[in-house]
């Protein structure tokens, strides 16, 4: 299984192993925090460990490995890194807004109210649609 | 020497990522509300993407990179659609 | 001719990264990128206007450093839940920047650093609602957002 890797020098193997373990360790810690933190708004912080340096570590490891083993510069993994870094905040913002909206519509939890009165009124009118999902 | 280091590191990393996927799916099944389940799904596919990249390092094949890219893009669209559904109750207005 | 040079350039780069660098793919990539940027022009999004674009690497470095720092902080918090209780909380910050691109960049930066999440932006009174995992020192968070990021963003985007 590991046949093509045999010809890379030891320093590169150590670097690859280091970044790989840091990245996957951060992803695991993020998942553990995601399971153990008590409220939704705290849980939203945990997976960003995996999506910031979790992804970064694994991508760096992959870039070093393929660059050294193939003898030419390989850095297309950076596309995944850029893509995930740009898209994860969007999904989290949308989810957090949806969660805020639902919590406000149901009046549970201690979420801060909107300052703007007119928007609250429309939210109460619109927000009764998606309750018991 | 370097083969042993790489093999050990890749195996440990795969175990940790598999554990992360298991934990994310626990939250996905248990999650008290729909938004918890959606973030669980999001974490699940990001860890699956990382697992595919480590498979690529383990086997030395570039093909895993492309499947990881596809998982990332599809997962993003899925999560955005689900979040939009939670917000409005429909995906396409 | 080229409405969005930055977009065109990054599309060409992405095409070459995905397909490998050969002259044929360079030509094909340029064709695809030019047509894609024309398609983008017909959607008429706001064009980002840079005032001091040479400050972008500085912002990038600061953000990278902060992400490493907050990664360590959040990992420690998660690993010692129960022993030491952290102090999560909501935080409302009034922003001075108006440029949409700058606000979007600030949102991406704050959300992708673990420990702070951007929840909601109100464009009427330009306030943003954040959730912070460890709100020990509220003034310090405010100061970091206002002085560390916002000043730099105001200089970069005109």
């Amino acid at each position: 299984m590991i046949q093509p890797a045999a010809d890379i020098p030891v320093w590169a193997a150590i670097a690859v192993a280091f970044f790989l373990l840091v990245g996957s360790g951060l992803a695991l810690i993020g998942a553990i925090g995601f399971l153990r933190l008590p409220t939704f708004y705290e849980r939203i912080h945990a997976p960003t460990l995996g999506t910031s340096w979790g992804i970064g570590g694994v991508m760096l490891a992959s870039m070093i490995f393929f660059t050294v083993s193939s003898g030419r510069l390989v850095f297309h993994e950076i596309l995944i890194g850029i893509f995930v870094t740009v898209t994860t905040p969007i999904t989290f913002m949308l989810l957090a807004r949806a969660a805020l909206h639902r919590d406000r519509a149901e009046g549970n939890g201690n979420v801060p109210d909107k300052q703007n009165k007119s928007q609250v009124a429309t939210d109460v009118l619109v927000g009764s649609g998606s309750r018991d999902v | 020497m370097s083969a042993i280091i790489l093999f050990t590191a890749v195996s440990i990393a795969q175990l940790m990522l598999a554990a992360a996927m298991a934990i994310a799916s626990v939250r996905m099944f248990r999650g008290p509300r729909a938004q918890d389940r959606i973030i669980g799904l999001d974490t699940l596919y990001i860890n699956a993407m990382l697992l595919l990249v480590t498979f690529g390092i383990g086997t030395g094949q570039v093909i895993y990179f492309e499947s990881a890219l596809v998982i990332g893009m599809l997962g993003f669209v899925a999560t955005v659609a689900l979040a939009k559904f939670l917000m409005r109750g429909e995906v396409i207005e | 001719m080229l409405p969005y040079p930055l977009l065109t350039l990054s599309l060409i780069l992405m095409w070459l990264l995905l397909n490998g660098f050969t002259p044929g793919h360079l030509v094909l990539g340029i064709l695809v990128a030019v047509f894609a940027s024309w398609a983008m022009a017909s959607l008429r999004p706001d064009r980002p206007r840079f005032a001091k674009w040479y400050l972008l690497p500085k912002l990038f470095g600061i953000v990278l450093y902060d992400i490493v720092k907050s990664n360590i902080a959040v990992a420690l918090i998660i690993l010692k839940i129960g022993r030491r209780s952290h102090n999560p909380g909501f935080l409302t910050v009034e922003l001075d920047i108006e440029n949409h691109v700058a606000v979007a960049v600030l949102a991406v930066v704050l959300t992708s650093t673990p420990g702070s999440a951007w929840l909601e932006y109100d464009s009427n009174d330009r306030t943003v609602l954040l959730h912070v995992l460890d709100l020990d020192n509220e003034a310090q968070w405010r100061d970091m957002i206002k002085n560390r990021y916002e000043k730099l963003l105001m200089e970069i985007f005109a």
Side-chain angles (χ1 to χ4, degrees), chain B residues 19-70:
Chain B
M21 282 172 73
I23 291 172
S25 46
V26 167
R27 177 55 82 187
M28 203 174 88
F29 284 116
R30 220 175 65 178
R33 309 210 55 202
Q35 51 262 39
D36 294 294
R37 293 177 211 272
I38 296 177
I39 293 204
L41 187 66
D42 192 83
T43 316
L44 186 67
Y45 84 74
I46 282 180
N47 284 319
M49 196 177 82
L50 291 181
L51 192 61
L52 273 178
V53 177
T54 58
F55 273 123
I57 297 177
T59 55
Q61 282 181 344
V62 196
I63 191 81
Y64 288 100
F65 160 75
E66 303 187 356
S67 42
L69 198 62
V70 170

Side-chain angles (χ1 to χ4, degrees), chain A residues 9-16 64 68:
Chain A
V10 176
W11 63 265
I14 289 175
V16 170
I64 295 171
V68 173

Side-chain angles (χ1 to χ4, degrees), chain A residues 23-34:
Chain A
S24 48
L26 277 175
L28 181 58
I29 291 174
I32 291 172
F34 179 57

Side-chain angles (χ1 to χ4, degrees), chain C residues 5 7 28 33 47 49 57 59 85 115 117-118 120 129 135 138 147:
Chain C
L7 175 77
L28 198 56
R47 283 179 77 162
R49 278 202 207 94
L59 177 74
S85 63
W118 178 283
E120 192 177 48
L129 181 66
L135 194 65
E138 200 176 316
N147 292 328

